[in-house]
Amino acid sequence: MESQISKAFSPEDFRANGHQLIDMLADHLIKSQSNDPTPTISRETPDDQLKFWKDDLNSPLPDDPGELFNNILSRSINLYSRRCMGHQVPPPAPAAVLGAMLSSFLNNGSAVYEMGMTGNALEKIITENLGQKFGFGAAASGFVTSGGTLGNLTVLLSARAAVTDVWDHGLVGHNNLAIMVSEESHYSVDRAARIMGLGTEGIIKVPVNAKYQLRTDLLDECLDKAARSGKKVFCVIGCACSTSTGAYDDLQATGDFAKKNSIWFHVDGAHGAATIYSPQYKHLLDGIELADSVIIDFHKMMLTPSLSTAVIYKRASDSYKTFAQKAQYLWADQEKEEWHNSGKRTFECTKPMSILSIYTLMRIYGDALFKQNVEMLFSLAQEFAALIKQNKNFELACEPQSNIVCFRYVSRRSAEDVNKKILQHLLADGRYYIVSTTLNEKPYLRTAIMNPLTRISELAELLDLIDILDL
Ligand SMILES: Cc1ncc(COP(=O)(O)O)c(C=O)c1O
C-alpha cells in the first residue's frame, strides 16, 4: 500500500488538486456573477446535514478530493451571490483568499518573531498606518487578532490594566469597576465585560436616540449615577458603527467626555471604521482621534476572509500591560516591549498570519479598493432605503448611515409576526439570504449589503418577492 504520508505531501497531487479547486471556485464566481446565479442558500435541516456528513465519513476514501470540494461548496451559503445580504460577512476578494492560502501553507505563527518574521513586521506596518489615518500620532501601534470579539476583550483588559495592577494582585480593591457603552453595542462588549467579572452592574448601557446612536447628552448623568452607586467607570466605548442598524455614535462628544473624566475611550470600529478610506464617509468617524484604542475587522468591510482584526492603540506601550506573561521557552527577555514577539500582547499563542490577506489586497489594489467598496455599499444602502420609503407596504427603521438597512413589512392585513414568516419563506426559497433584528421590541428584517457587485435591481426584486408573498 502506498504510504499515506508520501501521498499527503506529494507535490504533484497538491498541484493537481489545487488546480482543480481553483478552477471550481473560479467557475463558482462566474456563475455567481451571471444573470442566472446559483441559489444563495440551499438550506437543509441540521439533522439532514448531520446525516449527510456522517454518511460521507463512512463512505470509501475517494481517489481525489474533487467530489468533497463540490459537496462542501453546494452545502454552504454562497457569499458571492449578489442576493446574499444577511450578516456582516463579505465575499472575500479572491486575491485575499490566495493570501489566506499562502498563510495556511506557510503556517508561520507570530507569537515568536522567528516563527512569524513577515507577519510580525506586516502587522506593525499596517496597524501603524491605520493609526496615522485615525490621527493617533507617532506612538500608535498594534497587532492583529482573531476577530472583533477577541479584539474588544483584549482592549478592555488593556484599559483595566491601565488603572489597576490586576495581573499581579487580582481585583483586590477594584471590585467596583464598570464600563459605559450604548445599549446598541455588539454583544461581544457585554460578553467581554462579563468575562472580566464586571457583572451586569458593571455594564452601564447608555440609551440611544431615534437614530440608534448613543445619547451623549446622558453620559454625565450615567457617570454620576454610577459614582453614586459606588462604581468606577474605567472605559467608555463608542460604536462605529453599531451592529443592528449600522449607527455611528458621536465619537467627538464621547471622546470629549472620556478626556474630561480621564476614562479610557475605545472605539469598536469592527464593522464601520473602514470608512476612514472614504473622503465621502470618513466624517462619520470624526472624533476617532480622541480614542485610546480602536479595533477594525478586515473581514467585514475590507474584503478579507475571517478572522482578521486590527487592534490599534494610541500609545503602543499600553498594549504591553495587558498580559505581563512570562514564558521562558518563548521569549529571552520577559519584560521588554518587543513588537516583533506579538504573543506578548495577543491572546493567541499560535496565530494564523491573517495579515497576509489584507496586505495582498493593499499591494495589488491599493487603498482605492476599500474606498470604492465603502462608497458603493453605503450608497446602495441609501438607494435601497429610498425604494423602501416609496413602497407603502414597507417601513424603514431609520435612515441608514452605513450599509445596514432595517425595515418591516407593514401590509394592512399583516399580523405582528409576519416579518418572521417572511424570513422563513425567503430561507425556503433560497434566492435571498437576509436576517432579522428587534428594534423597540418590534421585529425587523435586516440586510447588511456586503457584496459590492449587488445592484439596486436585486434589492428591488427582494421587495417584490416579499410583496408577492402577500402575507
Ligand atoms: C460592531 C461589532 N463589534 C464586534 C463584532 C464581533 O466581531 P467578530 O465577529 O469578528 O468577532 C461585530 C460582529 O458583527 C460587530 O458588528
Side-chain angles (χ1 to χ4, degrees), residues 43-168:
R43 189 181 189 276
E44 279 197 73
T45 64
D47 284 347
D48 287 346
Q49 195 70 241
L50 201 61
K51 178 169 181 337
F52 177 88
W53 289 110
K54 274 187 179 163
D55 291 348
D56 182 71
L57 186 62
N58 290 326
S59 64
L61 296 181
D63 289 336
D64 73 64
E67 194 186 329
L68 169 65
F69 292 157
N70 224 332
N71 283 336
I72 294 171
L73 202 59
S74 63
R75 294 180 158 269
S76 301
I77 189 165
N78 179 11
L79 297 184
Y80 293 93
S81 158
R82 291 194 300 253
R83 296 181 173 87
C84 187
M85 44 189 79
H87 294 290
Q88 297 148 274
V89 184
V97 176
L98 297 179
M101 190 178 100
L102 188 55
S103 163
S104 294
F105 185 91
L106 292 172
N107 207 19
N108 280 209
S110 61
V112 177
Y113 176 64
E114 287 71 20
M115 285 298 289
M117 298 180 288
T118 292
N120 274 299
L122 292 182
E123 287 186 20
K124 180 172 165 63
I125 292 168
I126 301 297
T127 53
E128 291 182 7
N129 178 279
L130 275 164
Q132 294 315 303
K133 285 187 175 8
F134 292 137
F136 273 5
S141 194
F143 46 81
V144 167
T145 193
S146 305
T149 301
L150 213 51
N152 279 332
L153 174 57
T154 309
V155 163
L156 286 186
L157 288 169
S158 309
R160 185 172 70 177
V163 291
T164 64
D165 189 13
V166 57
W167 191 265
D168 286 324

Side-chain angles (χ1 to χ4, degrees), residues 18-32:
H19 279 291
Q20 179 178 208
L21 177 61
I22 296 285
D23 283 344
M24 190 183 290
L25 297 182
D27 288 344
H28 183 68
L29 267 186
I30 291 171
K31 189 102 173 82
S32 302

Side-chain angles (χ1 to χ4, degrees), residues 87-89 145-152 184-189 238-244 266 268-272 295-300 306-309 404 446:
H87 294 290
Q88 297 148 274
V89 184
T145 193
S146 305
T149 301
L150 213 51
N152 279 332
E184 282 291 311
S185 62
H186 188 256
Y187 77 81
S188 58
V189 174
C239 301
C241 50
S242 68
T243 305
S244 243
H266 172 55
D268 180 355
H271 181 89
I295 64 155
I296 172 168
D297 281 359
F298 297 137
H299 59 274
K300 288 196 166 63
S306 313
L307 292 164
S308 194
T309 298
I404 297 173
R446 175 174 174 274

Side-chain angles (χ1 to χ4, degrees), residues 382-398:
Q382 280 157 23
E383 278 185 75
F384 185 36
L387 278 187
I388 293 169
K389 283 192 288 187
Q390 281 161 22
N391 190 325
K392 63 177 180 0
N393 287 342
F394 292 94
E395 184 183 276
L396 193 63
C398 56

Side-chain angles (χ1 to χ4, degrees), residues 199-451:
T200 307
E201 301 216 326
I203 307 163
I204 298 164
K205 296 259 169 91
V206 184
V208 293
N209 60 24
K211 295 177 178 170
Y212 298 95
Q213 299 162 309
L214 178 141
R215 279 191 54 189
T216 50
D217 57 313
L218 296 181
L219 283 171
D220 285 324
E221 194 182 316
C222 289
L223 185 65
D224 287 348
K225 197 169 156 209
R228 281 199 302 280
S229 61
K231 288 285 166 200
K232 179 172 166 38
V233 175
F234 70 98
C235 183
V236 59
I237 295 128
C239 301
C241 50
S242 68
T243 305
S244 243
T245 59
Y248 281 81
D249 289 343
D250 180 343
L251 302 181
Q252 186 72 51
T254 314
D256 287 342
F257 162 82
K259 293 302 127 195
K260 188 175 73 184
N261 294 288
S262 304
I263 296 172
W264 183 292
F265 178 34
H266 172 55
V267 173
D268 180 355
H271 181 89
T275 48
I276 202 69
Y277 288 94
S278 159
Q280 194 182 344
Y281 291 106
K282 70 191 231 190
H283 66 90
L284 292 165
L285 299 173
D286 282 354
I288 200 167
E289 67 282 359
L290 300 172
D292 296 292
S293 55
V294 175
I295 64 155
I296 172 168
D297 281 359
F298 297 137
H299 59 274
K300 288 196 166 63
M301 295 293 286
M302 293 179 73
L303 299 172
T304 75
S306 313
L307 292 164
S308 194
T309 298
V311 183
I312 304 151
Y313 293 80
K314 179 174 270 163
R315 298 162 300 276
S317 54
D318 282 334
S319 64
Y320 291 94
K321 295 178 196 137
T322 326
F323 313 106
Q325 203 76 57
K326 309 230 181 328
Q328 318 299 343
Y329 46 89
L330 290 181
W331 307 300
D333 190 331
Q334 309 299 318
E335 312 290 341
K336 219 162 149 195
E337 294 184 1
E338 294 168 324
W339 64 265
H340 50 276
N341 286 319
S342 81
K344 286 189 166 182
R345 299 186 288 167
T346 58
F347 260 99
E348 300 98 326
C349 178
T350 306
K351 185 182 83 175
M353 219 193 331
S354 71
I355 190 76
L356 283 194
S357 288
I358 193 69
Y359 194 69
T360 303
L361 293 184
M362 285 177 173
R363 290 302 293 147
I364 298 183
Y365 308 107
D367 287 359
L369 177 70
F370 312 117
K371 169 190 180 298
Q372 287 168 17
N373 191 46
V374 165
E375 292 181 0
M376 286 174 81
L377 296 176
F378 278 39
S379 61
L380 199 53
Q382 280 157 23
E383 278 185 75
F384 185 36
L387 278 187
I388 293 169
K389 283 192 288 187
Q390 281 161 22
N391 190 325
K392 63 177 180 0
N393 287 342
F394 292 94
E395 184 183 276
L396 193 63
C398 56
E399 284 297 331
Q401 290 184 45
S402 64
N403 52 334
I404 297 173
V405 183
C406 298
F407 60 101
R408 309 164 23 87
Y409 189 61
V410 287
S411 89
R412 234 175 332 109
R413 288 177 289 122
S414 64
E416 204 33 39
D417 67 351
V418 70
N419 287 286
K420 289 193 186 131
K421 283 196 195 140
I422 290 169
L423 271 192
Q424 286 159 10
H425 275 84
L426 290 179
L427 212 45
D429 178 272
R431 274 174 287 176
Y432 283 85
Y433 180 69
I434 69 171
V435 293
S436 65
T437 190
T438 303
L439 300 167
N440 293 328
E441 292 167 22
K442 289 185 194 155
Y444 277 82
L445 302 171
R446 175 174 174 274
T447 52
I449 307 170
M450 298 298 289
N451 186 342

